[in-house]
Amino acid sequence: SLLGLVPSVLGQLGGLDSLTLQNNTLSGTIPTEVGSLSVLSALDLSFNELSGSVPSEFVTLYKLQWLDLDSNQLLTGTLTGVLCMGMKRARIDCDKIDCPGQCCMFRNGTMCP
């Protein structure tokens, strides 16, 4: 089990295709540097203690197809329509994060309003 902050140095791993850090005790904010992972297709940070806003830099994650931010402390923000265009699925806390279109769902699988 990992404890502490999500390291910003992850943004230097340019060839990273998938990042799964679910079911840990990660806290703090999601580093903006994650937005520089240009080939990232899957990001799972669910079931941690993350807080703050979803970084606006996520808009540059053009290859992202799966995003899971469900079950964190106080994660808020907006997922832009550009981010959702290529995404197959995003699982988030719909009452805390705005998500346009049909890419976001609650943990039970129903679509966000």
Side-chain angles (χ1 to χ4, degrees), residues 67-99:
L67 174 65
D68 195 340
L69 301 176
D70 191 33
S71 299
N72 277 287
Q73 287 294 99
L74 294 170
L75 210 50
T76 60
T78 301
L79 298 181
T80 67
V82 172
L83 181 61
C84 286
M85 283 177 15
M87 201 177 315
K88 292 182 180 171
R89 199 163 82 164
R91 195 171 66 159
I92 61 169
D93 292 323
C94 299
D95 56 332
K96 298 175 189 168
I97 299 175
D98 294 327
C99 184

Side-chain angles (χ1 to χ4, degrees), residues 14-86:
L16 195 63
D17 173 68
S18 179
L19 179 59
T20 302
L21 296 173
Q22 69 182 29
N23 292 318
N24 285 290
T25 314
L26 297 172
S27 59
T29 59
I30 300 171
T32 58
E33 292 84 357
V34 172
S36 64
L37 297 173
S38 59
V39 297
L40 194 67
S41 64
L43 176 60
D44 189 345
L45 298 173
S46 62
F47 297 94
N48 281 288
E49 297 175 6
L50 298 170
S51 59
S53 289
V54 175
S56 60
E57 289 79 4
F58 273 27
V59 72
T60 61
L61 298 175
Y62 300 113
K63 297 192 177 194
L64 193 64
Q65 294 181 12
W66 167 249
L67 174 65
D68 195 340
L69 301 176
D70 191 33
S71 299
N72 277 287
Q73 287 294 99
L74 294 170
L75 210 50
T76 60
T78 301
L79 298 181
T80 67
V82 172
L83 181 61
C84 286
M85 283 177 15

